[in-house]
């Protein structure tokens, strides 16, 4: 087996974002609003890093990222959706979802801790315009919004034009056949229209790809990536498929596919330095272990539960009753660190999904 050089994910992300910001500043001299935001965000990012260092000097590790699932509702029924499988995604909207005011308080606390990036997910986050508008009020934080792209309208385009800290990340599976097969007929065409609208207005966006044994060749191909580049896509986030049933295990990577994919990803990063490429959780395995449960990020579900990550939907503490900093010291997070589960040897993919029986046993005690 080929021995690869250890990949520093945090350094790559930091450098990649810095390059995007620098490139955007140069490319947007004709758009003073975008250029002004990029300069101010670069300053805010440095300030956030300084705050995290100050916390570290006090013995507190604050991760730079937070994932926030702001709704459990979704307008699509994608094949093999892990969120619907674990019942964290539904058709209706339960009463116990956090309000926009509660989320704004979380965003403001995150800013004070030095968190620079909050990934907004769901369900479909575009269903909660009120929360996305709340995020717009915190320009010091960059909010990538993971969306299926089917709910883009003029009001959202105007919001993204005015508030440059909101960055849509469109979910796509490769070509038209692969995308529509998983997400529904017509989804691919709708996505391309949304990307074209973003490009026409000079707005920053990225894409998210659920990568499987079936689409791995397509989503790393020159044709696919060149098409995204023509739309001025700045980031591609590859999310390795986590099997939700025994029948779907053949779609998940094994060691051989994962080694091939990481090699391919290294080549792609060299070929297209203008774009940022992230593999989750593959980059975690090659960069010293899982970054969940506060090592690099943690997850807050739509009800306020603090979870290690979206693929490990277990919680023993709720941010409605405690602070973000206190949530990082939850019994569950502490156990995962002390038992070294996050850095444990595993087959690849999501270590917490693979060791979910141990996590469930802890919560049952």
């Amino acid at each position: 087996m080929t021995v690869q050089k250890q990949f520093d994910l945090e350094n790559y992300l930091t450098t990649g974002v810095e390059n995007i910001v620098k490139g955007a500043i140069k490319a947007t001299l004709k758009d003073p609003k975008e250029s002004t935001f990029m300069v101010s965000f670069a300053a805010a990012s440095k300030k956030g890093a300084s705050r995290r260092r100050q916390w570290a000097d006090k013995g507190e590790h604050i991760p730079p990222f937070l994932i926030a699932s702001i709704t459990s509702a979704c307008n699509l029924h994608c094949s093999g959706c892990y969120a619907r499988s674990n019942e964290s995604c539904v058709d209706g909207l339960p009463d116990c979802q956090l309000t926009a005011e509660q989320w704004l308080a979380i965003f403001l606390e995150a800013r004070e801790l030095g968190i620079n990036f909050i990934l907004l997910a769901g369900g479909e986050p575009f269903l909660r315009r009120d929360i996305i508008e709340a995020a717009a009020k915190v320009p010091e934080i960059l909010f990538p919004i993971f969306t299926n792209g089917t709910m883009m309208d003029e009001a959202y385009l105007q919001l993204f034009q005015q508030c440059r800290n909101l960055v849509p990340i469109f979910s796509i599976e490769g070509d038209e056949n692969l995308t529509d097969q998983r997400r529904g007929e017509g989804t691919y065409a709708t996505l391309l229209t949304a990307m074209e609208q973003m490009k026409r207005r000079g707005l920053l966006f990225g894409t998210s790809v659920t990568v499987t044994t079936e689409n791995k060749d397509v989503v790393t191909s020159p044709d696919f990536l060149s098409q995204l580049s023509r739309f001025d896509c700045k980031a591609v986030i590859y999310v390795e498929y986590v099997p939700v049933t025994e029948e779907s295990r053949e779609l998940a990577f094994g060691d051989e596919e994962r080694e091939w994919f990481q090699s391919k990803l290294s080549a792609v990063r060299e070929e297209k330095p203008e774009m940022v490429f992230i593999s989750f959780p593959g980059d975690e395995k090659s960069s010293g272990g899982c970054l969940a449960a506060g090592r690099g990020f943690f997850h807050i579900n739509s009800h306020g539960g603090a979870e290690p990550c979206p693929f490990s939907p277990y919680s023993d503490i709720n941010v409605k009753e405690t602070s973000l900093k206190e949530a990082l010291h939850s019994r569950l997070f502490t156990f995962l660190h002390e038992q070294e589960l996050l850095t444990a040897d595993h087959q690849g993919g999501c270590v917490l999904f693979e060791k979910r029986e141990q996590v469930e046993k802890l919560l049952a005690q």
Side-chain angles (χ1 to χ4, degrees), residues 81-101:
C81 175
Y82 75 89
R84 284 196 182 273
S85 175
N86 64 34
E87 299 181 351
S88 62
C89 179
V90 295
D91 289 325
L93 192 62
D95 294 332
C96 54
Q97 307 274 284
L98 295 183
T99 66
E101 291 74 20

Side-chain angles (χ1 to χ4, degrees), residues 170-192:
F170 298 113
S171 297
I172 191 169
E173 310 303 323
D175 58 24
E176 183 173 14
N177 179 57
L178 288 165
T179 300
D180 286 2
Q181 180 179 338
R182 182 167 193 243
R183 297 185 172 271
E185 186 175 354
T187 303
Y188 182 80
T190 301
L191 278 169
L192 295 194

Side-chain angles (χ1 to χ4, degrees), residues 305-325:
E307 302 173 343
C309 89
F311 291 119
S312 186
Y314 306 108
S315 177
D316 63 348
I317 197 167
N318 195 294
V319 295
K320 286 189 290 188
E321 292 128 20
T322 190
S323 68
L324 290 179
K325 188 158 70 72

Side-chain angles (χ1 to χ4, degrees), residues 70 125-135 151 153-157 159:
I70 59 177
F126 272 33
L127 288 169
R128 293 299 306 270
R129 192 188 300 264
D130 57 339
I131 298 173
I132 294 177
E133 289 174 347
M151 301 187 69
D153 57 19
E154 182 61 28
Y156 266 125
L157 286 166
L159 180 62

Side-chain angles (χ1 to χ4, degrees), residues 20-63:
I20 288 177
V21 170
K22 290 176 183 176
I25 292 173
K26 292 179 182 178
T28 56
L29 294 178
K30 60 183 179 181
D31 186 346
K33 192 165 188 175
E34 177 75 8
S35 185
T36 299
F37 165 72
M38 286 297 173
V39 171
S40 64
F41 177 73
S45 182
K46 289 183 179 179
K47 186 175 181 180
S50 176
R51 283 177 177 170
R52 295 196 304 275
R53 284 194 297 271
Q54 290 172 6
W55 283 114
D57 291 341
K58 299 175 183 178
E60 290 278 357
H61 172 68
I62 303 297

